[in-house]
Amino acid sequence: MAVAEAEIKGSAYVKEVMALVKAKNPAEPEFHQAVLEVLESLDLVLQRRPEYRSARILERIVEPERVFMFRVPWQDDRGEIHVNRGFRIEMNSAIGPYKGGLRFHPSVNLGILKFLAFEQVFKNSLTTLPMGGGKGGSDFDPKGKSDNEVMRFCQSFMTELFRHIGPNTDVPAGDIGVGGREIGFLFGQYKRLRNEFTGVLTGKGLNWGGSLIRPEATGYGAVYFAQEMLGTRKESLQGKVCLVSGSGNVAQYTIEKLLDFGAKPVTLSDSSGYIYDEAGIDREKLKFLLELKNVRRGRIKEFTEKFKGVTYTPLDPKLDYNPLWNHKAHCAFPSATQNEINGKDAGNLLKNGVYVVSEGANMPTTLEGAKQFLDARILYGPAKAANAGGVATSGLEMSQNSLRLTWTREEVDQRLHNIMKAIHKACYETAEEFGTPGNYVNGANIAGFLKIADSMLDQGLV
Ligand code: NDP
């Protein structure tokens, strides 16, 4: 979605920086969108802290410190040769080593990874842990590939990536299309090339340096964040009907935590369509989902063959809205991909009574959709804050690797929960401090930015 000139609000300076970003990074609409959303919030800060402008913090923060782009050749099971493109964006290391996931999806390109890396910088700052921001991945599509093909691809990818990363330099994790299987293959190849067993990736298996709760963390965190937002209105998730999109890692554990809190999730989706289950997705159905998606790697449509009363709606690319967001509910947890809630979807959600949106996916709402949520003054938790639980727990995995210790499930979950409460508090209080109470978008952008900007000032012109 291109950012139109007329959409750019804010001071002349913000407009000037935005024009520079668009001119220097043409054909990267997602990156423009992510930058604009942050810059509009930062206008409030720049009025109070003119030193950021004279130090050109904005111009520096939108420029990646380093970008790698590389060829990834691999052979399929029939011996055919394929060539994909690999990327790693090292966006900002002001407060710690670069940290952020790897995405394997055919839609991956430089602009998408730059938007993700940019968001990651602020998100990581919010976690209270010492992590800089990065992101990477490839336009490789793991869907329909055999385990051996995925392994050969991962090994080829790591054969270039290994020279750029390290436990004190850059620590990648998973994202769309990169789960436990892929992290295993990537880790194995890194270890082989470096002859070093080290915490260079997070999301590792439990037997070889992984942390309990890391797979659950993003979904759990998004639900904890929603619970905190509801707490400001003396409410809870108990009994709330929830729309969830996606059916991968984030969606699965969002459903699990919603059930723990007594809520009723009623939808799930994949890139082919979505299911609606009025009776609610209970623990038996969740168990089926985990097996369907993580073991058999099947499609969400199969839900209807297994359970009565579940309806399936295939994706209709001709529609200018997503019918998943057009059901009566209280809460929405977008957990699939960017820009999955457009202006029309946001309108439908509000019309159907949704007043809590907690973003598990990265930038799932367009600028137009977000504006509607903010204008309606609903409890709108933006991705940077609401889905920070994943990277926070990756940070906890790094700590355990450094200490050569493993914490119990309860211990990690408790730390995750406390971090999500702290992120919520920081966003809530910062929004208030800067004159926009209840605006978690401003709260998250500003709270994340201040720590980075001050660290950049401290470290001089680097
Ligand atoms: P998974 O690959 O496990 O699952 C992704 C899900 O979203 C799948 O159901 C997939 O369907 C669907 N999906 C992906 N792309 C599209 C698309 N273009 N259109 C429609 N559906 C799509 O990824 P995750 O659950 O890990 O990630 C989901 C979101 O959460 C992403 O935005 C990611 O950046 C974000 N996130 C993830 C974190 C993590 O720890 N994993 C941390 C923070 C954010 P299908 O299988 O058909 O492709």
Side-chain angles (χ1 to χ4, degrees):
M1 205 192 72
V3 174
E5 233 42 74
E7 276 184 85
I8 304 176
K9 291 176 205 69
S11 63
Y13 176 46
V14 157
K15 289 192 167 122
E16 194 185 299
V17 175
M18 200 54 224
L20 183 83
V21 167
K22 289 175 75 173
K24 278 179 113 175
N25 307 277
E28 295 179 5
E30 292 85 1
F31 182 54
H32 303 166
Q33 183 184 339
V35 171
L36 179 61
E37 190 228 81
V38 170
L39 290 189
E40 285 181 356
S41 298
L42 295 187
D43 238 352
L44 299 166
V45 182
L46 294 165
Q47 291 160 17
R48 295 192 197 178
R49 301 283 302 269
E51 65 272 29
Y52 293 146
R53 183 171 177 178
S54 45
R56 298 279 169 204
I57 294 292
L58 295 192
E59 289 87 338
R60 287 155 65 190
I61 215 166
V62 296
E63 194 65 33
E65 289 177 12
R66 211 170 289 108
V67 174
F68 303 107
M69 225 164 112
F70 48 95
R71 178 172 67 200
V72 190
W74 60 279
Q75 251 176 335
D76 67 21
D77 290 343
R78 299 186 318 272
E80 300 265 341
I81 291 173
H82 301 265
V83 180
N84 285 97
R85 187 171 279 179
F87 303 86
R88 186 71 185 164
I89 320 289
E90 295 184 341
M91 198 75 194
N92 193 300
S93 62
I95 62 165
Y98 310 103
K99 181 90 198 87
L102 296 171
R103 175 177 291 193
F104 291 169
H105 193 272
S107 64
V108 161
N109 59 38
L110 187 61
I112 287 190
L113 293 179
K114 275 167 68 181
F115 115 64
L116 289 163
F118 184 74
E119 293 259 313
Q120 196 80 45
V121 172
F122 299 85
K123 181 188 311 193
N124 292 4
S125 167
L126 283 174
T127 64
T128 70
L129 302 174
M131 298 181 290
K135 200 83 189 186
S138 173
D139 56 359
F140 172 73
D141 187 359
K143 225 177 287 163
K145 307 287 188 303
S146 70
D147 286 351
N148 274 328
E149 288 172 331
V150 171
M151 181 180 74
R152 283 195 294 275
F153 174 80
C154 288
Q155 290 178 341
S156 182
F157 183 83
M158 187 52 89
T159 301
E160 174 58 34
L161 188 68
F162 89 100
R163 60 185 101 247
H164 309 298
I165 61 176
N168 296 312
T169 309
D170 184 352
V171 184
D175 189 75
I176 291 178
V178 179
R181 172 182 65 171
E182 290 76 15
I183 293 289
F185 295 146
L186 291 163
F187 182 79
Q189 184 72 352
Y190 181 89
K191 182 164 61 69
R192 180 194 206 182
L193 291 167
R194 280 258 193 248
N195 191 23
E196 190 175 85
F197 193 109
T198 179
V200 68
L201 291 157
T202 57
K204 298 187 289 299
L206 286 180
N207 291 330
W208 39 280
S211 173
L212 287 157
I213 302 287
R214 175 60 189 93
E216 291 89 338
T218 308
Y220 279 18
V223 177
Y224 290 147
F225 197 86
Q227 183 81 336
E228 289 301 305
M229 291 197 294
L230 279 161
T232 64
R233 297 189 182 177
K234 309 257 177 299
E235 290 185 52
S236 80
L237 280 161
Q238 177 71 38
K240 299 282 188 298
V241 175
C242 302
L243 306 176
V244 180
S245 66
S247 51
N249 173 269
V250 178
Q252 292 166 11
Y253 292 103
T254 293
I255 301 268
E256 183 167 281
K257 192 47 76 180
L258 284 174
L259 294 176
D260 289 349
F261 280 153
K264 185 165 104 168
V266 292
T267 57
L268 280 168
S269 68
D270 58 25
S271 54
S272 313
Y274 82 97
I275 58 134
Y276 175 69
D277 184 352
E278 198 178 357
I281 296 156
D282 59 16
R283 293 204 190 264
E284 187 200 346
K285 292 168 185 165
L286 173 63
K287 193 165 161 232
F288 173 78
L289 172 72
L290 296 183
E291 205 264 336
L292 173 71
K293 285 291 172 182
N294 304 344
V295 182
R296 288 196 286 120
R297 299 183 191 273
R299 308 306 293 160
I300 202 69
K301 183 175 190 292
E302 291 178 45
F303 242 82
T304 53
E305 292 152 24
K306 173 86 179 163
F307 300 104
K308 285 201 174 56
V310 180
T311 56
Y312 173 73
T313 309
L315 182 83
D316 181 354
K318 291 194 295 299
L319 290 182
D320 62 352
Y321 68 100
N322 182 350
L324 185 155
W325 304 123
N326 201 10
H327 292 274
K328 287 253 168 294
H330 304 103
C331 314
F333 292 84
S335 311
T337 193
Q338 63 272 3
N339 291 331
E340 54 172 314
I341 297 180
N342 63 22
K344 197 158 179 183
D345 295 318
N348 284 339
L349 285 165
L350 294 171
K351 185 188 77 195
N352 278 295
V354 167
Y355 67 101
V356 180
V357 177
S358 189
E359 296 184 336
N362 281 310
M363 205 169 75
T365 311
T366 62
L367 290 169
E368 195 192 341
K371 184 173 180 319
Q372 290 189 51
F373 292 153
L374 292 173
D375 288 349
R377 296 184 171 273
I378 63 163
L379 298 170
Y380 172 41
K384 279 184 202 80
N387 75 26
V391 72
T393 310
S394 277
L396 300 178
E397 184 173 329
M398 288 165 76
S399 305
Q400 292 170 83
N401 291 164
S402 300
L403 295 166
R404 298 195 188 281
L405 280 177
T406 46
W407 295 328
T408 62
R409 197 180 160 81
E410 291 69 31
E411 216 172 335
V412 182
D413 194 21
Q414 191 57 54
R415 284 177 197 260
L416 166 65
H417 201 161
N418 289 342
I419 289 173
M420 294 314 296
K421 284 184 182 172
I423 294 174
H424 175 270
K425 186 164 182 279
C427 296
Y428 186 84
E429 290 179 354
T430 306
E432 215 155 48
E433 189 191 331
F434 282 84
T436 56
N439 185 327
Y440 289 95
V441 174
N442 283 343
N445 287 338
I446 296 172
F449 172 78
L450 290 173
K451 192 166 143 191
I452 306 284
D454 288 337
S455 305
M456 288 173 75
L457 286 181
D458 291 346
Q459 292 169 23
L461 195 53
V462 292

